[in-house]
Amino acid sequence: MTLRHIQIFVSVYQNGGITKASDALHLAQPSVSLAIKEIEEYYGIRLFERIGRRILPTECGSEFYSYALHIVSQFDEMEKKIRNWETLGTLRIGASITIGTHVLPGIIKEMQLLFPDLTIEAVIKNSAAIEQHILDNGVDIGLIETVPEQENMVYEPFMEDFLCAIVSPSHPLNKRDHITLTEIADYDLLMREKGSAGREILEGYFSMEQLSVHPLWESTSTQAIVKGVSSGIGISVLPYLLVEKDIAEGIVKRVPINPRLKRNFNIIYHRSKYLTSTMNAFMELCKTYGREA
């Protein structure tokens, strides 16, 4: 008793006869008849009543069909999915907050157009958490705002972003055409929490200039910082992508920093990761998005 026996039975049942089933299966009629006979002998049952040239399923045959159809359907689904796993499976993406909020949705939209049957799962957390997900094989590919700290990570820049100073529309700095880090350090600063990618990068730039700063405010919420700046409590330095909309709407004003504080967004994956064609396609989309941004 094999899966092939069950497939033949289902075809006979659905086609209502040996002849049509043999045509559908591209098998000789004696082979189809033998398969049905072997099932009947195996279970000690009769699957069909033979009335003249017609065959009709017995009550037991109809019951057997309900099980057989389920088995065949599950097998067909498995065959389709496994053989086409890269286009029908799941791609797991991890992204840091800024990238997950402002970049990833557009990339996923393009990916879904290319692979409509692919399931794309996303995890949005800070960069350190995404690195851990990569290490734990919780995601396949990560998109982060920093260089990964783990040695067994492969990383590749795909997009450039920069930090910008923001002030309230009534702040005296609003009239300046640029500001330096040394000058920024003299003002009341509203900063993201320690551990955030933007904060780490900004502190790195301050450290290179041998500047020490202590923020007046710290917040995990970019919008809380923007509201504080717009109210005149202090100034802030944040990734441009996070405040682009607020600047465009006039809620805060941007003051260019000289020299420009640049950073790269990086694609990361584990060094031992097997890269499927869909993973490679996703990474190419990221690079294309970065070039066109």
Side-chain angles (χ1 to χ4, degrees):
M1 178 64 178
T2 65
L3 176 62
R4 189 59 173 158
H5 285 86
I6 296 174
Q7 291 172 322
I8 291 171
F9 165 77
V10 168
S11 184
V12 172
Y13 189 99
Q14 291 177 339
N15 285 285
I18 300 293
T19 302
K20 290 183 179 179
S22 65
D23 290 341
L25 295 169
H26 305 291
L27 290 175
Q29 291 186 32
S31 298
V32 174
S33 298
L34 178 61
I36 299 301
K37 182 181 179 182
E38 287 175 342
I39 297 173
E40 291 178 329
E41 290 178 349
Y42 181 85
Y43 286 108
I45 58 172
R46 182 172 291 278
L47 296 171
F48 297 100
E49 295 287 355
R50 291 150 178 87
I51 304 173
R53 293 186 177 181
R54 298 175 59 206
I55 63 170
L56 297 174
T58 62
E59 183 179 355
C60 186
S62 294
E63 182 71 12
F64 186 80
Y65 174 73
S66 65
Y67 287 105
L69 182 62
H70 178 71
I71 293 169
V72 171
S73 297
Q74 287 290 97
F75 178 78
D76 289 344
E77 182 180 338
M78 179 191 72
E79 283 279 282
K80 181 181 179 183
K81 196 163 189 177
I82 298 302
R83 289 183 184 276
N84 300 279
W85 179 253
E86 293 189 3
T87 56
L88 296 175
T90 300
L91 177 63
R92 303 168 302 166
I93 304 299
S96 58
I97 306 298
T98 299
I99 298 174
T101 304
H102 298 278
V103 177
L104 186 61
I107 297 174
I108 287 182
K109 183 179 179 181
E110 291 297 319
M111 192 70 180
Q112 288 173 331
L113 291 175
L114 290 175
F115 302 96
D117 296 319
L118 181 69
T119 299
I120 304 175
E121 297 178 352
V123 175
I124 313 298
K125 292 186 177 181
N126 63 43
S127 294
I130 297 305
E131 279 194 58
Q132 190 60 48
H133 274 291
I134 292 285
L135 290 175
D136 296 338
N137 197 33
V139 297
D140 300 310
I141 297 172
L143 305 176
I144 63 174
E145 303 158 50
T146 56
V147 173
E149 297 180 356
Q150 304 294 332
E151 291 183 0
N152 48 5
M153 293 282 183
V154 177
Y155 74 94
E156 185 175 357
F158 74 95
M159 184 175 175
E160 188 178 275
D161 186 30
F162 62 92
L163 304 180
C164 66
I166 56 171
V167 301
S168 72
S170 59
H171 198 284
L173 286 175
N174 185 33
K175 301 183 185 298
R176 295 277 298 274
D177 58 1
H178 71 271
I179 189 172
T180 66
L181 276 178
T182 302
E183 292 174 303
I184 289 172
D186 290 332
Y187 285 88
D188 290 331
L189 279 177
L190 283 64
M191 298 178 71
R192 286 290 303 273
E193 79 285 2
K194 280 188 174 293
S196 71
R199 172 75 175 264
E200 289 183 357
I201 292 167
L202 179 59
E203 287 185 334
Y205 276 112
F206 277 131
S207 178
M208 285 190 290
E209 296 291 328
Q210 297 184 329
L211 298 170
S212 178
V213 297
H214 181 74
L216 179 68
W217 272 25
E218 286 187 7
S219 177
T220 59
S221 168
T222 300
Q223 282 308 301
I225 293 174
V226 169
K227 287 185 181 295
V229 169
S230 68
S231 299
I233 294 173
I235 71 173
S236 187
V237 178
L238 291 169
Y240 177 70
L241 279 177
L242 287 181
V243 292
E244 181 179 14
K245 184 172 181 289
D246 300 301
I247 294 170
E249 292 176 354
I251 296 172
V252 292
K253 296 292 184 180
R254 174 191 166 202
V255 182
I257 300 173
N258 187 22
R260 200 179 199 205
L261 308 185
K262 298 184 294 183
R263 63 174 184 167
N264 286 324
F265 291 161
N266 293 305
I267 301 167
I268 64 170
Y269 55 89
H270 198 282
R271 191 176 302 279
S272 301
K273 187 72 175 178
Y274 170 72
L275 298 178
T276 66
S277 60
T278 49
M279 291 179 200
N280 283 312
F282 178 82
M283 290 191 285
E284 283 303 314
L285 278 181
C286 291
K287 296 171 190 175
T288 300
Y289 187 98
R291 288 193 295 267
E292 295 176 351

